[in-house]
Amino acid sequence: PRIETEADSLTDSFVEAARGLMDLLVPDHQEFESTIAVPIFCESSDLEFLLADWINTLIFEMNARSMIFTKFDVFVEGINVKGTAYGVS
């Protein structure tokens, strides 16, 4: 499986990629109410690897916290991604 996104900005692409990941892992994730906010920070060596590092960070946080994420606020700046993932455990 692969995730394809179409968005108007780099930041929106990262949000769409996170949603695509959730669609692959938990197809009914939108049925859950987001009750927990988790701050997420990710940085990479360059912009080309930033999206892969973002996805890997989300997977790590979901596994470490036993959570399903349902909503994302994201800000991409240079080679950094800052945001919040909302979900349930």
Side-chain angles (χ1 to χ4, degrees):
R2 70 185 208 190
I3 300 169
E4 293 184 27
T5 68
E6 191 171 314
D8 294 330
S9 70
L10 184 61
T11 295
D12 290 344
S13 292
F14 277 69
V15 171
E16 290 302 315
R19 289 179 183 157
L21 174 66
M22 294 304 109
D23 288 344
L24 285 174
L25 298 177
V26 187
D28 62 345
H29 67 92
Q30 294 175 340
E31 295 178 17
F32 297 96
E33 175 121 9
S34 300
T35 57
I36 302 169
V38 177
I40 304 285
F41 176 78
C42 176
E43 64 181 341
S44 188
S45 58
D46 61 37
L47 192 55
E48 292 180 16
F49 291 108
L50 189 57
L51 182 60
D53 290 340
W54 165 245
I55 294 297
N56 286 333
T57 299
L58 290 175
I59 292 168
F60 172 81
E61 292 292 341
M62 286 188 329
N63 285 329
R65 299 170 185 270
S66 298
M67 289 185 68
I68 297 169
F69 294 135
T70 59
K71 187 174 114 177
F72 304 90
D73 289 332
V74 178
F75 179 71
V76 179
E77 181 177 49
I79 57 171
N80 298 310
V81 180
K82 301 173 188 175
T84 305
Y86 302 90
V88 297
S89 61

